[in-house]
Amino acid sequence: MNRESSRQLLESRNIEYCTNNDGIHLIVTGNGCLIDFWPGKGKWIARDHSMSGFGVFNLIDMIESGQL
């Protein structure tokens, strides 16, 4: 259920992503960086930044605020 709701939240905010492994792993496009996101667990890691965290809402906040 987390996988589907996380995808819907990203789409509702017009945040681009690619799906890997049948939705287990998403590659989310931030502001000039890519973010690995596992919606089942809520874990995310920014590839080009030394930032990581948990939760789709935190991820969305970081992207929308320009931090990622």
Side-chain angles (χ1 to χ4, degrees):
M1 183 152 167
N2 281 349
R3 290 181 190 155
E4 183 60 32
S5 63
S6 292
R7 284 194 301 266
Q8 289 174 355
L9 284 166
L10 292 172
E11 289 172 7
S12 73
R13 301 296 185 104
N14 295 316
I15 297 173
E16 295 181 12
Y17 66 90
C18 296
T19 304
N20 288 330
N21 300 328
D22 295 322
I24 294 171
H25 174 225
L26 304 180
I27 300 172
V28 180
T29 303
N31 298 299
C33 71
L34 295 176
I35 305 143
D36 294 300
F37 178 51
W38 295 269
K41 299 275 184 182
K43 174 89 173 146
W44 55 266
I45 301 172
R47 290 185 183 181
D48 299 334
H49 298 49
S50 59
M51 299 179 87
S52 63
F54 284 91
V56 69
F57 291 107
N58 288 332
L59 175 59
I60 290 169
D61 287 344
M62 295 294 283
I63 293 170
E64 291 182 342
S65 70
Q67 296 181 56
L68 288 178

